[in-house]
Amino acid sequence: MGRQMVFPISLWHILLIFCINPPLPASAQLRRNFYATVCPNVETIVRAVVTQKFQQTFVTVPATLRLFFHDCLVQGCDASVMVASTGNNKAEKDHPENLSLAGDGFDTVIKAKAAVDAVPGCRNKVSCADILAIAARDVVALAGGPSFPVELGRRDGLSSTAASVNGKLPQPTFNLNKLRVLFASHGLDQTDMIALSGNDTKLPL
């Protein structure tokens, strides 16, 4: 490919926060070897799918990172942003603020989940939340950034509603103080806020 995306150092810090010490449901406990006995090759499987998708389109990088960020800010890193709406429920992904999420991010996770479930021992054992976290780490490395260990054990969210997105994502109308408060609630400082919001990241919120 030969093409690399240049991110500020603070963006690696943000990804480390969400991948290693993310907002989680209270019942989730993360560890490196979470799938060691049921799906020991899960990271290798996901990496192969992400690499193939990256080779098809570089949009995979910002699309996957933005999907991960929007997921984590709403109800914790539980992949609830992946859930489709039904006749009687409008899900997170169909909230107006998530309609701009690129389809390549969703496609990356869906294909990786299918590849994992194609392995008999892994079928229905690995959460989409963990697959999204692994994929986010892998696109960082493919874009020329560092690779880092991702602790696993996230549980997929059982609830996904458009209403839950309200007030959880940065708004164009937010002043500096509101942005600081929002990002601080997730352990992010002003430098992190600028990295995620600025044009230099090529990763608009």
Side-chain angles (χ1 to χ4, degrees):
M1 295 292 295
R3 185 181 178 190
Q4 292 185 336
M5 178 180 288
V6 179
F7 293 111
I9 293 298
S10 58
L11 186 51
W12 307 135
H13 171 65
I14 292 166
L15 291 169
L16 284 167
I17 287 173
F18 284 136
C19 283
I20 298 176
N21 188 30
L24 288 167
S27 60
Q29 295 183 357
L30 306 186
R31 61 180 187 271
R32 287 289 311 280
N33 61 346
F34 188 82
Y35 297 108
T37 60
V38 294
C39 189
N41 296 321
V42 59
E43 294 190 52
T44 300
I45 298 168
V46 172
R47 186 179 303 112
V49 173
V50 173
T51 299
Q52 183 179 39
K53 182 71 179 178
F54 173 78
Q55 291 170 342
Q56 293 170 352
T57 174
F58 192 80
V59 176
T60 301
V61 177
T64 304
L65 292 178
R66 192 162 178 251
L67 181 65
F68 185 51
F69 184 71
H70 277 230
D71 180 51
C72 291
L73 281 189
V74 176
Q75 298 190 110
C77 305
D78 64 351
S80 54
V81 74
M82 298 289 300
V83 177
S85 295
T86 63
N88 56 10
N89 178 62
K90 185 176 180 180
E92 286 178 40
K93 68 184 297 185
D94 290 320
H95 187 281
E97 293 174 41
N98 283 332
L99 293 179
S100 63
L101 292 173
D104 287 298
F106 292 98
D107 190 51
T108 299
V109 179
I110 290 168
K111 287 181 175 177
K113 174 64 172 171
V116 170
D117 283 349
V119 178
C122 299
R123 187 173 298 128
N124 298 323
K125 299 291 197 308
V126 181
S127 68
C128 284
D130 275 340
I131 289 174
L132 177 53
I134 295 169
R137 184 272 311 277
D138 290 343
V139 296
V140 166
L142 287 167
S147 183
F148 45 85
V150 176
E151 293 189 335
L152 304 173
R154 296 163 185 80
R155 304 301 187 187
D156 288 336
L158 300 178
S159 172
S160 179
T161 64
S164 66
V165 180
N166 294 332
K168 300 294 180 61
L169 298 173
Q171 301 297 308
T173 57
F174 276 11
N175 59 30
L176 182 58
N177 186 57
K178 287 184 177 180
L179 286 171
R180 284 174 175 165
V181 170
L182 176 65
F183 280 79
S185 69
H186 296 284
L188 304 175
D189 61 22
Q190 184 169 317
T191 301
D192 301 325
M193 176 186 73
I194 294 170
L196 279 169
S197 302
N199 291 331
D200 287 344
T201 65
K202 303 298 185 292
L203 186 64
L205 297 175

